[in-house]
Amino acid sequence: MPESLPLVESVSARLDALFAERRPQLRALNPELDALMDQLVAFTAGGKRTRARFLAAGARMPRTATDPDLGRAVVDAATALELFHAAALAHDDILDRSDTRRGKPSMHRAFEGKHHEAGWVGDPEHFGLSAAILAGDLLLMWSDDLRLEAASHVRTSRGQAAIAEFSRMRTEVTAGQYLDVVAELAWQQIARDERADRAIAIAAAKSASYSVEAPLVIGARLAGADDQLVGHIRAMGLPLGLAFQVRDDVLSVFGDESITGKPSGDDLREGKRTLIIAEVDQRADDETRAFFEARLGAADLTADEIARMQDAIRDTGALDAVEAHIQRWLDEALAAMAEIDLDERTREHFRKLATAAARREH
């Protein structure tokens, strides 16, 4: 998406500037903290900056945007969002016991490796978990600093509205992560015909809002969107966020590791109770259900068992049902976009961005 490249480069440059500013502060405390900064720089590098792109798209939607420093506000807010996302990933990999992220060791595994290399005493795994939690917290703090800086570039009312949306997003995604953890433990106590709705509700809270809806609204609020426009944006952003998250779930079961940076079948190893699993529950025979209940998320899950689960997801029609959900949500988002008064260039830009997010195209 060529339109997004200047934003992606600007966000990367803003991250570089932030880290260059903060490194001397950490080094003054103790030179050992250089290693912490090196890991933060490495962990936040790369990625598609999807949330940043949606925030910038939201800022293009109001026709009344007049603040001269809106561009600076968008870059700072987008960078704040990327820092929040990085923190969420670092913590999420701990929750999911995930060893990799974007084809590299996850944050806690990288710190665990540092413990091994240094020959320190104590438990390397515990150090890795502890360091990753603290590193994620540091990213959250710096995200908050940039969130406030972004708001300072625009009129007070616009900045305050953007900050309020950012705060709402942070609460929802953290609460959604908690619900996700609970679902893995309480799945068998949820009625089978309620599991799909539960999986969708969790996806909406933990990811759909902060992946698409909130970034769009934050950008729009910075640019002066009124409540009516924000209502239309939410009607567009939530279904698209669901399509984005559930596509991610599909890729976590069937994706190519060279593209996703995660092993194929990763959600099956982690025991994630996603919409895919809820659809299998609805369609499978008793033997297949019993197999999933016994082996999904098992620590010793084998490659052959993962392949059997993948076959069952296809053969029961669960994958087709999930693909139908994704397409319906994309259609709903594009229909909601039609209700917004946009210039044709902005409309086409968002259409491409939305379709790429739902289908995970590049």
Side-chain angles (χ1 to χ4, degrees):
M1 288 169 280
E3 303 97 321
S4 298
L5 288 178
L7 172 74
V8 172
E9 293 167 357
S10 295
V11 169
S12 296
R14 188 67 182 91
L15 281 173
D16 290 344
L18 176 72
F19 291 145
E21 173 190 328
R22 301 301 165 95
R23 186 183 287 274
Q25 180 184 1
L26 293 185
R27 187 181 290 144
L29 294 173
N30 193 307
E32 285 283 330
L33 292 170
D34 260 345
L36 172 61
M37 180 59 80
D38 289 343
Q39 180 57 34
L40 294 177
V41 170
F43 193 74
T44 55
K48 295 181 288 295
R49 311 293 190 202
T50 300
R51 291 156 188 82
R53 291 175 173 182
F54 276 117
L55 190 149
R60 295 172 63 168
M61 290 183 177
R63 290 181 175 269
T64 56
T66 57
D67 292 83
D69 288 331
L70 178 60
R72 292 176 61 195
V74 166
V75 171
D76 279 351
T79 307
L81 194 53
E82 287 296 313
L83 287 168
F84 176 84
H85 180 51
L89 294 181
H91 290 164
D92 192 46
D93 285 341
I94 294 172
L95 297 175
D96 293 341
R97 301 183 179 92
S98 185
D99 295 330
T100 59
R101 170 65 60 182
R102 295 172 181 162
K104 299 177 183 179
S106 51
M107 179 86 80
H108 61 286
R109 293 304 185 200
F111 279 117
E112 182 181 337
K114 177 174 174 55
H115 185 290
H116 283 295
E117 292 169 7
W120 293 336
V121 299
D123 181 1
E125 184 175 5
H126 180 70
F127 169 74
L129 295 172
S130 302
I133 290 169
L134 294 170
D137 288 347
L138 198 55
L139 291 171
L140 285 173
M141 295 172 199
W142 293 347
S143 169
D144 205 44
D145 291 345
L146 274 186
R147 167 180 86 119
L148 297 175
E149 193 166 337
S152 72
H153 297 313
V154 295
R155 298 178 199 173
T156 301
S157 59
R158 297 180 180 188
Q160 288 176 341
I163 287 173
E165 181 64 20
F166 212 118
S167 297
R168 185 187 72 86
M169 174 199 73
R170 295 187 306 180
T171 298
E172 286 190 4
V173 69
T174 305
Q177 287 283 27
Y178 173 81
L179 292 174
D180 192 32
V181 171
V182 169
E184 291 182 26
L185 305 175
W187 192 251
Q188 302 308 324
Q189 299 173 15
I190 302 170
R192 184 169 291 124
D193 60 357
E194 296 176 4
R195 290 176 182 173
D197 287 343
R198 178 67 175 268
I200 291 170
I202 291 171
K206 80 165 191 173
S207 183
S209 174
Y210 109 96
S211 296
V212 180
E213 179 191 353
L216 285 170
V217 173
I218 292 168
R221 287 298 197 187
L222 286 172
D226 60 20
D227 290 346
Q228 183 178 20
L229 176 55
V230 166
H232 287 307
I233 290 173
R234 291 198 194 283
M236 176 176 64
L238 183 58
L240 182 57
L242 283 168
F244 177 85
Q245 175 56 43
V246 175
R247 172 61 63 203
D248 191 66
D249 295 340
V250 172
L251 291 173
S252 293
V253 172
F254 295 104
D256 182 341
E257 184 174 0
S258 66
I259 297 174
T260 65
K262 292 270 193 178
S264 180
D266 208 43
D267 273 7
L268 302 176
R269 292 183 187 85
E270 294 170 4
K272 297 300 236 180
R273 266 57 179 185
T274 62
L275 181 60
I276 295 172
I277 302 305
E279 293 291 354
V280 172
D281 283 342
Q282 293 278 14
R283 292 167 166 75
D285 57 31
D286 290 342
E287 180 183 352
T288 301
R289 285 197 194 102
F291 169 64
F292 271 81
E293 289 175 5
R295 300 301 296 158
L296 183 65
D300 58 347
L301 190 67
T302 67
D304 286 344
E305 288 174 323
I306 288 173
R308 179 179 170 185
M309 288 180 177
Q310 290 170 330
D311 288 343
I313 291 167
R314 293 188 190 95
D315 294 345
T316 59
L319 179 59
D320 290 340
V322 168
E323 290 288 352
H325 278 291
I326 292 172
Q327 186 60 52
R328 186 176 70 254
W329 284 322
L330 175 59
D331 292 343
E332 184 179 339
L334 294 177
M337 181 185 68
E339 299 299 316
I340 302 176
D341 179 22
L342 301 173
D343 64 77
E344 192 52 40
R345 184 179 178 185
T346 299
R347 189 178 302 281
E348 183 59 23
H349 172 74
F350 183 79
R351 184 181 294 109
K352 290 179 179 178
L353 190 60
T355 302
R359 296 175 182 166
R360 212 52 69 90
E361 298 168 344
H362 299 282

